[in-house]
Amino acid sequence: MSKVVHRKKRLSSFKLIVLGFAAVIFVGALLLMLPVSSVSGTQTPFHEALFTSVSAVCVTGLVVQDTGSYWSSFGQAVILLLIQTGGLGVITVAVSFAILSGRKISLMQRSTMQDAISAPKIGGIVRLTKFSVQGTLFIELLGMTAMLPVFFRDYGIKGIWMAAFHSVSAFCNAGFDLLGTSSQPFVSLSRYIANPLINLVIMLLIIIGGIGFLTWDDIYTHKWHIRRYRVQSKVILWTSALLIIIPAVFFFVVDFTGSSTGTRLLASTFQSVTTRTAGFNTADLTAMTPTSKSVMILLMLIGGSPGSTAGGMKTTTFAVLILNDIEIFGRRLDSHAIKNAATIVALYIIFFFIGGIAISSIEHLPLLDCLFETASAVGTVGLTLGITPTLGIPSQLILILLMFFGRVGGLTLIYAAISVKQNGVKLPLEKITVG
């Protein structure tokens, strides 16, 4: 009698990543709907709770309700937990709890971790996870300690919570702030535009969180011996530096002309750094020139680096497309990486434009303003020209989808949706003229 063997079908690592983020978002939305989560003690509408949860888990920072004045201490704590989970990555947090409980990490879990943090190989993935989590908590603690004197001076004992919240939010490139009030909502860090300490600490946290865990590992292991770094780390550091310095100089020349030289320098640099998908702002973005807004749109789409707390197309994608077949640091680039980079850029641009045009048509708003919001959403940045809180539910849904796409990643969604079976057979080659 023949035996029928039923194999248990396992989800791919890409599907686990997508479903993991979706599950945390849904739970977060339910918690934020509770009356205890709002200052008024009333139940928050599902679409607003969902938008906030997506923005927090996808470490974006776009909000429909002012975080400081609308949400209670419980609601803010939920948001902070969602930010930390989204910043580290849902899979990283889950594996970290498994490690703490003493459970053995399976090969499948290691493979999922590799995909989640964009590691080049599966070997040493548990060590890298421990390093990432410990490093994250240590740097966030340093950031909190550094900002504590200013926040304690301005807010008293509440300043401890303010320093902790903004340190985590900055490191995770989330952009959520607690500085808004019922009379002055959505102010971000504008009142600290001339404060060197807050500016420098927030910028450092954004940059450190946005360069990626693998780059940290290189810096920690090899210190100043840059030649020993991975080529990816070298590309990330050089590209990040150029994408901060060049726009900062441009903003200094074009904008903030009415401020003192010191304030102007801080504002220009901060607005350049925050497009690394952080979402804080110290200046009135609506007062910036259309050219500067366009530059910020490009920077937001590029975003941070792979395996980091940041979103966007990634600095490596931008660098790979620019360099193409050029040899760099004694190495040549993989053609597969170039194809992936082109695919990612195409996906981001398509979703960015379609989303902007759709919102502009629905809300009857200027296209540039809507494109700024969609670039901020798909790049998981969180910068806004002030129109997100005024949008209707259909437009909010568009931003929700863009934020999820931007955090999870276009290729991850494609691989999760499409199961490709490798049978070793190659179809005939066909050439198509392009250009």
Side-chain angles (χ1 to χ4, degrees):
M1 187 175 178
S2 62
K3 293 183 178 180
V4 179
V5 179
H6 294 280
R7 286 190 176 182
K8 187 179 179 180
K9 189 176 180 180
R10 293 186 176 182
L11 294 173
S12 68
S13 58
F14 299 106
K15 289 180 180 178
L16 285 173
I17 293 170
V18 173
L19 292 175
F21 271 96
V24 173
I25 286 169
F26 182 70
V27 172
L30 293 180
L31 289 173
L32 291 174
M33 284 182 67
L34 298 174
V36 71
S37 293
S38 65
V39 172
S40 62
T42 58
Q43 182 175 319
T44 301
F46 177 71
H47 68 275
E48 292 184 0
L50 178 65
F51 190 99
T52 305
S53 183
V54 171
S55 186
V57 175
C58 297
V59 289
T60 305
L62 289 174
V63 293
V64 290
Q65 294 288 356
D66 181 69
T67 311
S69 60
Y70 181 83
W71 301 106
S72 65
S73 297
F74 177 81
Q76 291 172 7
V78 170
I79 291 171
L80 187 65
L81 184 60
L82 294 175
I83 290 171
Q84 188 73 87
T85 303
L88 281 171
V90 174
I91 303 300
T92 302
V93 172
V95 171
S96 298
F97 277 111
I99 293 172
L100 287 173
S101 64
R103 288 173 54 194
K104 188 177 180 180
I105 307 303
S106 67
L107 184 61
M108 177 65 181
Q109 290 170 327
R110 292 169 192 262
S111 176
T112 304
M113 269 303 305
Q114 180 188 6
D115 292 325
I117 64 174
S118 305
K121 59 182 180 180
I122 200 169
I125 199 70
V126 174
R127 181 196 65 81
L128 183 60
T129 301
K130 291 180 180 178
F131 172 76
S132 302
V133 174
Q134 291 170 354
T136 295
L137 298 177
F138 178 69
I139 294 168
E140 288 173 348
L141 181 61
L142 285 180
M144 170 189 169
T145 305
M147 291 187 289
L148 186 56
V150 175
F151 284 121
F152 192 81
R153 178 199 68 196
D154 294 343
Y155 297 95
I157 195 70
K158 186 183 176 183
I160 299 174
W161 172 243
M162 302 285 280
F165 189 98
H166 290 94
S167 180
V168 173
S169 185
F171 178 81
C172 291
N173 282 221
F176 280 80
D177 71 273
L178 302 179
L179 302 178
T181 62
S182 55
S183 59
Q184 288 185 311
F186 311 111
V187 295
S188 193
L189 300 176
S190 56
R191 68 186 59 173
Y192 292 107
I193 186 171
N195 187 298
L197 179 62
I198 296 298
N199 275 263
L200 292 174
V201 172
I202 293 290
M203 283 192 286
L204 282 173
L205 288 170
I206 292 168
I207 293 169
I208 294 171
I211 61 175
F213 301 127
L214 286 172
T215 308
W216 292 8
D217 188 49
D218 266 340
I219 295 171
Y220 179 78
T221 305
H222 303 298
K223 307 296 189 293
W224 297 104
H225 301 287
I226 300 177
R227 289 184 178 181
R228 297 180 185 176
Y229 289 11
R230 300 176 181 90
V231 171
Q232 174 171 303
S233 297
K234 295 176 184 177
V235 170
I236 286 171
L237 292 173
W238 274 106
T239 307
S240 298
L242 291 174
L243 289 175
I244 290 171
I245 295 170
I246 295 174
V249 173
F250 177 80
F251 295 148
F252 183 85
V253 173
V254 176
D255 297 284
F256 317 119
T257 52
S259 304
S260 64
T261 303
T263 301
R264 193 174 173 186
L265 181 62
L266 282 175
S268 300
T269 308
F270 192 95
Q271 262 50 242
S272 178
V273 170
T274 197
T275 55
R276 293 274 66 73
T277 81
F280 292 109
N281 62 280
T282 56
D284 181 8
L285 301 182
T286 60
M288 297 181 75
T289 63
T291 307
S292 294
K293 292 175 186 176
S294 300
V295 170
M296 294 184 81
I297 286 174
L298 175 61
L299 294 172
M300 288 191 292
L301 288 173
I302 295 172
S305 301
S308 72
T309 61
M313 293 187 295
K314 304 296 188 292
T315 52
T316 47
T317 302
F318 176 74
V320 164
L321 278 185
I322 296 296
L323 296 171
N324 208 323
D325 283 333
I326 298 175
E327 292 183 2
I328 181 168
F329 302 117
R331 297 288 189 273
R332 60 185 176 83
L333 297 174
D334 180 15
S335 59
H336 185 66
I338 298 173
K339 292 176 183 177
N340 277 349
T343 302
I344 292 168
V345 170
L347 285 171
Y348 270 82
I349 290 176
I350 289 170
F351 283 113
F352 153 67
F353 268 113
I354 291 177
I357 292 170
I359 293 176
S360 179
S361 300
I362 295 170
E363 305 290 340
H364 306 291
L365 293 168
L367 180 59
L368 179 61
D369 290 354
C370 296
L371 289 175
F372 191 96
E373 304 296 307
T374 54
S376 182
V378 78
T380 69
V381 182
L383 294 175
T384 178
L385 297 178
I387 68 174
T388 294
T390 67
L391 297 177
I393 295 178
S395 298
Q396 288 182 20
L397 180 60
I398 291 171
L399 293 182
I400 285 173
L401 294 174
L402 289 176
M403 287 189 286
F404 189 78
F405 168 84
R407 182 59 181 135
V408 174
L411 291 181
T412 300
L413 286 172
I414 291 174
Y415 293 148
I418 302 173
S419 178
V420 181
K421 293 183 179 180
Q422 300 292 338
N423 55 16
V425 178
K426 289 188 176 181
L427 296 175
L429 183 68
E430 185 71 27
K431 293 184 178 180
I432 298 177
T433 304
V434 295

